[in-house]
């Protein structure tokens, strides 16, 4: 009888530990099922707390989507800010900071490759995405030059000090709000982004570029022209 009671107690204890482990893991992330049946690990959602949430709130504040407290609590205000950001960049609007949302925010750490100097692999992806959207069809040098302009802005006191901040600054890049933004960066765009980060700057320090055949902006045409590469005029 004692032996059976011991087995029963041991079984209940193991079941309790297993349940506790599952609950703990669920507090850090949960699995949602997408429309095509794929499971996606989600890192932060309504009710989440911790440093990851602080990073999300900080980035959303930098980008102008969130004006609440950076308190590490994923409340309704943070959820609304995430929704606004998702809508602005054309990804699924669900208010959940999943891997794709983190990638677009420049916060993803799971896309592989680690970091490159002061830039993460997600920074490189976002830079490549800009290059793909803005300079697809241009020469390789022209693509690197577009990436260099983004990085020159990061270094300039007149612009945000992160790649995501520069890219999502209101009115900065028209491609962010049109159909070009849905195109994934190619291997060439990724390589151009890496070359720009490594220090190649065919624009010679320019902060702006434009296509004379497509722009109607009078102000941009008053900027001092440094060089022309393909369809783009690069200026300071």
């Amino acid at each position: 009888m004692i032996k059976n009671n011991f087995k029963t107690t041991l079984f209940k204890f193991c079941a309790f530990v297993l349940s506790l482990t599952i609950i703990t893991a669920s507090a850090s992330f949960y699995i949602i099922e997408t429309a095509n049946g794929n499971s996606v690990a989600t890192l932060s959602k309504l009710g989440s707390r911790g440093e990851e949430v602080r990073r999300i709130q900080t980035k959303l504040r930098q980008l102008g989507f969130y004006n609440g407290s950076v308190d590490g609590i994923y409340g309704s205000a943070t959820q609304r800010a995430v929704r606004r950001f998702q809508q602005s960049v054309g990804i699924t609007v669900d208010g959940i900071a999943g891997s794709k949302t983190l990638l677009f925010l420049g916060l993803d750490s799971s896309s592989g490759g680690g970091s490159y100097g002061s830039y993460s692999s997600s920074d490189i992806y976002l830079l490549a995405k800009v290059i793909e959207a803005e300079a697809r069809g241009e020469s390789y040098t022209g693509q690197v030059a577009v990436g260099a302009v983004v990085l020159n802005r990061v270094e300039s006191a007149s612009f945000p000090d992160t790649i995501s901040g520069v890219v999502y600054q209101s009115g900065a890049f028209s491609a962010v709000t049109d159909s070009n933004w849905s195109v994934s960066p190619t291997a060439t765009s990724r390589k151009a982004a890496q070359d720009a980060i490594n220090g190649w700057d065919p624009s010679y320090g320019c902060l702006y570029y434009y296509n004379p055949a497509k722009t109607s902006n009078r102000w941009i045409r008053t900027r001092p022209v440094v060089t022309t590469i393909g369809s783009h005029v690069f200026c300071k």
Side-chain angles (χ1 to χ4, degrees):
M1 180 65 104
I2 294 176
K3 188 174 182 179
N4 288 338
N5 287 341
F6 175 77
K7 287 183 177 180
T8 301
T9 302
L10 181 61
F11 176 81
K12 288 181 177 180
F13 176 76
C14 291
F16 171 77
V17 171
L18 179 60
S19 299
L20 184 61
T21 301
I22 292 173
I23 291 171
T24 302
S26 298
S28 299
F29 69 92
Y30 74 106
I31 302 296
I32 60 173
E33 190 151 286
T34 61
N36 61 9
N38 293 327
S39 293
V40 180
T42 302
L43 303 181
S44 295
K45 62 183 181 65
L46 187 65
S48 296
R49 293 169 178 257
E51 186 58 33
E52 182 70 29
V53 179
R54 289 180 184 277
R55 294 174 64 225
I56 292 167
Q57 291 171 328
T58 299
K59 180 62 70 172
L60 289 170
R61 278 180 69 98
Q62 291 173 349
L63 299 177
F65 292 94
Y66 178 69
N67 58 9
S69 299
V70 179
D71 54 10
I73 301 173
Y74 204 117
S76 58
T78 302
Q79 184 187 54
R80 288 193 297 270
V82 170
R83 285 179 175 273
R84 286 193 292 269
F85 172 76
Q86 290 169 331
Q87 184 175 32
S88 75
V89 298
I91 59 178
T92 300
V93 180
D94 55 13
I96 297 169
S99 57
K100 190 167 188 177
T101 298
L102 292 179
L103 183 65
F104 275 66
L105 280 169
L107 295 176
D108 182 62
S109 60
S110 61
S111 55
S115 62
Y116 303 81
S118 60
Y119 297 110
S120 68
S121 54
S122 56
D123 285 328
I124 295 175
Y125 176 87
L126 187 57
L127 184 60
K129 194 169 179 64
V130 174
I131 292 170
E132 181 69 26
E134 292 275 322
R136 188 166 61 252
E138 295 294 315
S139 67
Y140 184 72
T141 300
Q143 292 183 33
V144 176
V146 166
V149 167
V150 174
L151 298 179
N152 291 339
R153 290 188 180 188
V154 172
E155 296 300 320
S156 170
S158 300
F159 294 89
D161 59 2
T162 63
I163 289 178
S164 58
V166 167
V167 171
Y168 295 125
Q169 188 175 31
S170 179
F173 297 96
S174 60
V176 171
T177 58
D178 64 30
S179 59
N180 286 320
W181 198 242
S182 64
V183 179
S184 297
T186 62
T188 300
S189 296
R190 290 172 183 264
K191 185 175 184 298
Q194 186 62 69
D195 277 342
I197 285 174
N198 288 344
W200 184 16
D201 184 2
S203 80
Y204 302 105
C206 286
L207 297 173
Y208 307 94
Y209 64 87
Y210 63 94
N211 185 334
K214 295 182 178 181
T215 187
S216 59
N217 186 300
R218 292 183 178 180
W219 177 84
I220 194 67
R221 293 176 180 271
T222 67
R223 308 304 301 174
V225 174
V226 174
T227 186
T228 299
I229 305 173
S231 300
H232 288 139
V233 173
F234 292 84
C235 48
K236 292 188 174 181

